[in-house]
């Protein structure tokens, strides 16, 4: 006996799979947007530790294997060394500088992100920072690389 539903079952499965595959790029773009927002928020919270003069909270944003590059060839490796080298920046009641993100990008696989933006003091902008963030197994974003560079204003169009 002929059963018409047996012919449509493979087609309905194929159609459902096709529709699912079409939605994957939409889902990926949504996920990247959410991940970028997470990193943006993490960077703002990280910067707030300096404004709040909270060295312990600052340290919580550092990955265990963090690498911070300072002036010249100075490199601090590991959470403890970075934390120790930045401790003196938290000693005074007033923060010596502040920073905020201008741009955040996340890898498509959602594991690493880059954040960059201005660093300034009372005199104005004097650096641009770049931080690389890693999403840890617990879902928290931690800084793994950080580097500040001298700010170069754009050339004026004459």
């Amino acid at each position: 006996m002929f059963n018409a539903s047996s012919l449509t079952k493979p087609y309905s499965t194929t159609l459902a799979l096709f529709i699912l595959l079409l939605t994957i790029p939409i889902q990926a773009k949504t996920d990247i947007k959410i991940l970028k927002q997470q990193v943006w928020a993490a960077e703002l919270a990280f910067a707030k530790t300096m404004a709040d003069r909270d060295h312990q909270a600052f340290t919580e944003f550092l990955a265990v294997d963090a690498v911070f590059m300072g002036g010249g060839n100075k490199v601090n490796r590991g959470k403890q060394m970075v934390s120790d080298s930045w401790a003196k920046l938290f000693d005074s009641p007033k923060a010596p500088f502040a920073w905020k993100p201008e741009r955040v990008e996340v890898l498509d696989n959602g594991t690493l992100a880059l954040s960059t933006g201005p660093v300034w003091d009372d005199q104005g902008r004097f650096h641009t920072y770049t931080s690389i963030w890693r999403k840890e197994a617990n879902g928290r974003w931690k800084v793994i690389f950080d580097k500040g560079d001298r700010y170069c204003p754009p050339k004026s169009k004459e």
Side-chain angles (χ1 to χ4, degrees):
M1 179 169 186
F2 176 73
N3 183 350
S5 67
S6 65
L7 290 176
T8 59
K9 190 170 190 173
Y11 295 114
S12 62
T13 303
T14 303
L15 181 61
L17 182 58
F18 179 71
I19 291 169
L20 177 65
L21 289 174
L22 287 176
T23 65
I24 288 173
I26 295 168
Q27 182 65 37
K29 287 188 186 302
T30 302
D31 289 346
I32 293 297
K33 185 176 180 181
I34 291 168
L35 292 170
K36 287 171 80 170
Q37 290 170 346
Q38 289 174 356
V39 175
W40 191 282
E43 187 69 71
L44 288 174
F46 186 44
K48 190 174 183 310
T49 66
M50 178 64 74
D52 292 348
R53 320 306 295 128
D54 190 343
H55 181 251
Q56 180 60 39
F58 170 87
T59 302
E60 292 303 312
F61 284 92
L62 304 175
V64 173
D65 52 348
V67 175
F68 275 46
M69 294 179 276
N73 293 326
K74 184 174 179 167
V75 176
N76 292 302
R77 296 184 175 277
K79 182 177 184 172
Q80 190 62 55
M81 183 182 263
V82 171
S83 177
D84 291 349
S85 72
W86 278 63
K88 63 185 172 290
L89 299 173
F90 289 84
D91 287 345
S92 67
K94 184 177 179 189
F97 56 86
W99 71 92
K100 68 177 179 179
E102 263 182 351
R103 184 167 184 188
V104 171
E105 291 298 334
V106 178
L107 288 181
D108 286 344
N109 67 14
T111 59
L112 294 174
L114 177 141
S115 173
T116 187
V119 179
W120 67 92
D121 62 9
D122 290 341
Q123 305 303 309
R125 181 176 186 157
F126 65 97
H127 277 85
T128 297
Y129 80 88
T130 300
S131 297
I132 307 296
W133 295 77
R134 178 177 60 213
K135 192 168 189 177
E136 303 289 307
N138 64 6
R140 288 195 62 199
W141 288 94
K142 301 274 185 153
V143 180
I144 57 170
F145 287 101
D146 185 83
K147 171 87 169 84
D149 287 306
R150 181 175 44 86
Y151 173 64
C152 298
K155 291 182 179 182
S156 63
K157 295 180 182 179
E158 296 176 11

